[in-house]
Amino acid sequence: MKYDGYRILVAVGGGEARAYTRSGLDWSDRFPSILSEARKLKVRSALIDGEAVVTDTEGRSSFQALQNALKGAPASIDYFAFDLLQLDGEDLTRLPLLERKEKLETILPAGNPIFRYSDHIQGRGEELLNRFCDAGLEGVISKLADSDYVGARDGSWLKIKCIKRQEFVLVGWTPSDKDRAFRSLILGVHDSGKLRYAGKVGTGFDTAEMARLMKTMAPLEQKAATVDAPRAEVRGAHWLRPKLVAEIAFTEMTNEGTLRHPSYLGLREDKKPGAVVLETEHRTATLTSPATSTIVISNRGRVIYPESNITKGQLADHYAELAEVMLPWVGNRPISLVRCPQGRAKKCFFQKHDAGSFGDKVHHVGITEKDGHEEPYLYLDDADGLMTCVQMGTIELHGWGARIEDVEKADRLVFDLDPDEGLDFEAVRAAAFQFRDILKSLGLTTFPMLTGGKGVHVIAPLTPKAEWPEVKDFASRLAQAVAQSDPAHFTAVLSKARRKGRIFVDYLRNQRGATAIMPYSARTRPGAPVAAPITWAEMKTIDAPSHFHVGDAPELKKRAASKALAGWGRADQSLPHL
């Protein structure tokens, strides 16, 4: 069953329980009754995926009812658990879905009215959808029974709705000539990376909700029009900075791109405006594995790495093999591509925007630049998107330190330890352990990654709470403190002249718009090296930051599923104060 609520991850451990949104916001204070039941689970630790909902006597979930409950009756909110990612320290994400659900069912108390198991039916999908729609339910989620868990949206599951509904950005409101607070809300949606007019909605809110909306919208009002819209439709409009997201139900979208018969369902505080893109309906014959791509790679025999005779086809095979383990890192975050259509020895260029040449498999998220205008940044969420980039001549994939759900809050710290040309890898190795210990003393768990270049990344995952100025300030002060305390070995200054015989602590990866090489990405260097996660134990003996190469994909995939790398790059921690 497709639930009409908030997607929530419940983390249990050490007698405590926390609740997080899909974008990493800590909403534990909103679901006290759910977390009270979670603390009673007979487990040492667990990470559970599910939906917080309010149901009526017929078992129908309602987003509006959930909104009302969050304002004053949180005890009426239930939790339907549908997946188990971790149990008692064991990473379950590589197990088939049905095995994960079996384990989930065993840890949930039978008959609990608040913390419930979300059951499933195998097969008979069309019949089930028709029955659900006739009963007034929202729809069906169809999942591949043997799929593992991938954080990004992929081809292993589909969302089939009984009625059309999605999130839209609130860009303004029109005044009412009656006693209502406003006549309608003006809607916008990101389409091809730009925010455009999507129509108006004038139903679905009561007097109390209208009053709450007016109070919320008042500080966001601006004089300039937020989107281009027909004058007759937005006469007298009060425009808003695009900061609010609402869920809207509608019957269809017109050829002009506006909604027919829209109805307001509620504000979506768990979704950021930049992540609100136009959803398109399409038919599919079958579900596919997350690692499966339908993209045809042309010119497979073209040599991309002339010194080692590696072809475009071999590079494509590398990414196809590793798509499943790479997508959790590269998916759903703004990316920049290093494209070398004629090979790494020819002209290469860096690309972060797109005017549509990548087709519909590579998506756009609108991000506001320093001067206030919005640009369409690239992101992908499945193997087709990844392989489209490869087909377009991409060798390297670099990602922001934030996901598209909230590009203003970092989900990791990256310290790039970049040695001077004269230094050997032993100096880098020692520096990596030094940074591990420093960050550990500050309460941060870290993970090493070979860059495939000259250095190593020391990565500290973050729950996305801190915004970029705070993150950059922390990284800058830490790098400068290390350089000042050990100037013989470190510098925090970018200048090549200041780097002589030292390691440059590149903290600049930790600022808005900066990117870092993604795990499992190939590099444009001779020999086709690959950026690869490793353990701290391996860091003691690994021979070089270019240890792995294109051609090692089977080994890299096997390593990603190993116990040694289980949980690599994941930790529930916040930015400390220096």
Side-chain angles (χ1 to χ4, degrees):
M1 183 184 297
K2 185 181 187 305
Y3 300 105
D4 192 6
Y6 277 130
R7 174 88 171 274
I8 295 294
L9 281 172
V10 171
V12 182
E16 278 301 312
R18 310 293 295 177
Y20 299 96
T21 69
R22 56 188 171 182
S23 58
L25 300 175
D26 189 337
W27 277 15
S28 300
D29 59 335
R30 304 191 184 200
F31 306 109
S33 57
I34 292 173
L35 297 186
S36 176
E37 296 300 321
R39 293 185 194 99
K40 299 175 186 177
L41 297 178
K42 299 186 184 307
V43 298
R44 294 197 310 275
S45 66
L47 186 59
I48 302 168
D49 199 354
E51 193 101 356
V53 301
V54 173
T55 57
D56 62 17
T57 55
E58 302 297 321
R60 291 185 293 258
S61 55
S62 164
F63 185 70
Q64 286 177 314
L66 175 62
Q67 292 274 290
N68 293 334
L70 285 169
K71 297 171 197 171
S76 65
I77 303 173
D78 301 334
Y79 185 73
F80 283 88
F82 49 67
D83 210 336
L84 182 62
L85 283 62
Q86 186 255 57
L87 179 62
D88 294 337
E90 181 184 0
D91 183 359
L92 307 181
T93 56
R94 296 289 178 255
L95 291 181
L97 172 62
L98 287 183
E99 284 190 37
R100 300 198 304 272
K101 291 202 71 177
E102 284 176 13
K103 290 179 180 289
L104 173 64
E105 190 172 15
T106 62
I107 68 171
L108 298 181
N112 188 303
I114 296 176
F115 211 99
R116 310 188 196 184
Y117 174 70
S118 176
D119 211 341
H120 57 268
I121 292 174
Q122 290 183 256
R124 299 165 55 198
E126 191 167 350
E127 175 191 342
L128 191 65
L129 176 64
N130 292 334
R131 287 175 56 191
F132 279 6
C133 293
D134 290 343
L137 300 173
E138 193 189 352
V140 164
I141 300 292
S142 298
K143 297 185 178 182
L144 200 64
D146 62 356
S147 61
D148 57 9
Y149 187 94
V150 177
R153 180 173 292 188
D154 58 60
S156 68
W157 65 274
L158 297 173
K159 178 170 57 177
I160 305 101
K161 301 177 182 179
C162 293
I163 61 169
K164 294 183 174 70
R165 55 186 289 172
Q166 74 157 84
E167 297 91 357
F168 290 89
V169 182
L170 298 188
V171 296
W173 56 274
T174 58
S176 173
D177 53 5
K178 301 177 182 176
D179 293 334
R180 289 159 52 103
F182 54 82
R183 181 171 183 170
S184 62
L185 300 175
I186 306 172
L187 306 174
V189 67
H190 288 96
D191 191 354
S192 299
K194 295 291 185 181
L195 188 63
R196 68 160 177 81
Y197 177 65
K200 300 178 296 182
V201 57
T203 62
F205 13 66
D206 56 20
T207 303
E209 181 65 7
M210 294 181 87
R212 184 173 84 98
L213 280 166
M214 286 300 291
K215 184 177 180 180
T216 306
M217 293 188 297
L220 302 176
E221 192 163 342
Q222 64 180 20
K223 290 184 178 180
T226 314
V227 294
D228 292 329
R231 286 188 181 181
E233 294 188 30
V234 295
R235 189 171 286 114
H238 293 251
W239 296 104
L240 302 172
R241 286 183 284 127
K243 300 292 185 182
L244 301 175
V245 175
E247 180 130 358
I248 308 294
F250 57 98
T251 56
E252 63 179 336
M253 185 167 280
T254 68
N255 293 334
E256 290 73 35
T258 59
L259 305 183
R260 282 178 56 82
H261 309 301
S263 179
Y264 171 87
L265 298 177
L267 288 180
R268 296 295 309 223
E269 298 173 73
D270 62 332
K271 192 148 188 177
K272 300 299 176 182
V276 175
V277 296
L278 185 64
E279 294 182 5
T280 56
E281 182 179 335
H282 59 90
R283 294 189 176 276
T284 182
T286 59
L287 291 172
T288 61
S289 157
T292 302
S293 173
T294 61
I295 303 301
V296 176
I297 302 297
S298 63
N299 301 314
R300 287 182 59 88
R302 176 183 292 157
V303 174
I304 299 296
Y305 293 88
E307 69 289 330
S308 48
N309 216 33
I310 291 174
T311 66
K312 182 181 179 183
Q314 290 172 299
L315 180 66
D317 291 344
H318 165 86
Y319 281 114
E321 178 85 7
L322 291 170
E324 188 174 351
V325 296
M326 190 173 182
L327 280 169
W329 307 112
V330 73
N332 288 311
R333 71 175 65 241
I335 56 171
S336 295
L337 310 173
V338 176
R339 292 177 60 194
C340 309
Q342 301 303 316
R344 74 157 208 91
K346 303 285 186 178
K347 183 180 179 182
C348 298
F349 56 93
F350 211 62
Q351 181 171 357
K352 59 184 178 179
H353 306 307
D354 175 43
S357 59
F358 282 80
D360 61 358
K361 300 300 183 182
V362 178
H363 312 299
H364 304 136
V365 57
I367 297 179
T368 304
E369 302 284 27
K370 289 180 180 178
D371 62 4
H373 83 284
E374 197 173 77
E375 285 286 351
Y377 279 72
L378 300 168
Y379 78 93
L380 52 89
D381 61 6
D382 61 13
D384 277 351
L386 178 61
M387 299 311 294
T388 296
C389 293
V390 178
Q391 165 60 10
M392 296 290 287
T394 296
I395 294 181
E396 297 186 3
L397 293 99
H398 299 247
W400 277 45
R403 291 170 61 85
I404 63 168
E405 290 89 352
D406 193 346
V407 297
E408 303 304 335
K409 294 186 176 69
D411 71 345
R412 68 179 187 208
L413 275 168
V414 177
F415 289 96
D416 180 7
L417 305 180
D418 188 7
D420 179 50
E421 295 287 349
L423 289 178
D424 61 19
F425 187 60
E426 289 306 316
V428 179
R429 191 194 318 276
F433 280 107
Q434 191 169 339
F435 262 82
R436 179 197 67 174
D437 295 341
I438 292 169
L439 290 164
K440 185 177 181 180
S441 72
L442 296 171
L444 289 176
T445 299
T446 56
F447 302 88
M449 187 181 80
L450 305 177
T451 64
K454 296 184 300 175
V456 167
H457 285 178
V458 177
I459 301 168
L462 297 174
T463 299
K465 296 179 180 177
E467 298 197 352
W468 286 115
E470 184 182 354
V471 174
K472 182 184 178 183
D473 179 65
F474 174 90
S476 170
R477 288 192 290 137
L478 181 64
Q480 290 175 28
V482 171
Q484 288 169 9
S485 65
D486 191 359
H489 297 105
F490 295 100
T491 178
V493 180
L494 184 60
S495 165
K496 289 278 187 184
R498 297 287 297 275
R499 211 182 293 191
K500 192 71 174 175
R502 300 171 181 170
I503 289 175
F504 170 50
V505 181
D506 187 354
Y507 64 89
L508 298 171
R509 311 284 178 184
N510 305 292
Q511 60 184 333
R512 189 180 191 272
T515 60
I517 194 70
M518 290 282 94
Y520 306 108
S521 173
R523 304 304 305 265
T524 56
R525 296 170 177 270
V530 172
I534 62 171
T535 66
W536 282 113
E538 290 175 314
M539 189 69 224
K540 294 176 182 177
T541 58
I542 203 85
D543 59 338
S546 56
H547 179 86
F548 296 99
H549 302 81
V550 170
D552 293 333
E555 180 186 354
L556 288 166
K557 187 175 182 180
K558 185 177 179 180
R559 284 171 50 81
S562 68
K563 284 188 177 180
L565 284 175
W568 185 94
R570 299 184 178 94
D572 179 10
Q573 55 192 11
S574 299
L575 193 72
H577 296 287
L578 277 180

